[in-house]
Amino acid sequence: MLERFHLEVLAAIKEQGTLTQAAESLNLSQSALSHSIKKLEGLLNTPVWQKEGRSLRLTNAGEQILILANRVLPQFKHTEHLLRQIAGGEMGSLRIGMECHPCYQWLLKVIEPYLEKWPEVDVDVKQEFQFGGLGALHNYEIDLLVTPDPIFKPNMTFIPVFDYEHRLVVSSAHPLAKQDSVMPEDLNEEVLLSYPVDPERLDIFSQFLNPAKCAVKAHKTIETTEIMLQMVAAGRGVTALPGWLVDEFAKTMAIKSLRFGKQGISKQIFLGMRKGEEQINYLNDFIVQAQSIK
């Protein structure tokens, strides 16, 4: 009863707002578009849109079809894109979403040998601070998600890549630098520097300060790792980053990392993907390459 064409029409109506613009976006005449929907409404025995002046408003039935369209049409487009690449002799494309902002340096180490091995694969990286990774993966906007905080869903697979310890970073001249670890109350008078993400997504809050009902003196955001660590080295604040990343920068900067509490904060980096795509050879090989680089 329902066909892909109907889904495309309802999606165009919702996006364009008028019958004329929807028909133009689909390269159809208004009469052809209207006739198809009237036929569908006859089969469904209910209207799917209502006219409001020059605009169209979807009915409850139309909204339900639109929900299906939003879920199914991206899958059609994704599969068709892969098929065109196969038919044209291309290997494919790999779109990577980043929810671990400090991991960008690690990702560069993975991508360099990967590009040499897979010259036919186009690689693109989406790194935004307000990035909704799981939604982008579900909606076929990306193919892999790099995240330290996986949300396990029935249609998603998250593969652990490597373990690390989340650590506090201070200037080498900071009084806390004499210690090997810190307690929540040690940070009461500190200025915390972090990436511009919601505080509830920061482990220093969710796993360290909030459970102890402690807070920092101030919280400031900085977008780049290098500038953040320069600020720390200059005594302008403290930050929290993966231990492996801090060790790398500590070779050339006056900074030191400390454990959070006596036990520390242990984390893992995961690569998330849609179930059923594990067999894609160039995607699977990226995971193998990523697991080999710490």
Side-chain angles (χ1 to χ4, degrees), residues 257-269:
S257 68
L258 304 111
R259 173 164 285 184
F260 284 109
K262 299 301 180 183
Q263 303 299 320
I265 297 178
S266 298
K267 299 284 293 182
Q268 279 185 307
I269 293 299

Side-chain angles (χ1 to χ4, degrees), residues 2-3 17 30 40-41 44 58 62 105 107 110 116 119 139 147 165-166 172 182 190 200 223 226 230 237 247 264 271:
L2 274 176
E3 300 177 6
Q30 291 186 43
L40 174 64
E41 290 176 330
L44 297 175
L58 296 183
Q105 282 82 356
L107 183 64
V110 181
E116 293 181 5
N139 292 329
T147 180
E165 183 177 354
H166 202 56
S172 298
V182 292
E190 299 297 332
E200 58 264 25
E223 292 194 358
E226 290 82 358
Q230 287 176 355
D247 291 342
L271 291 180

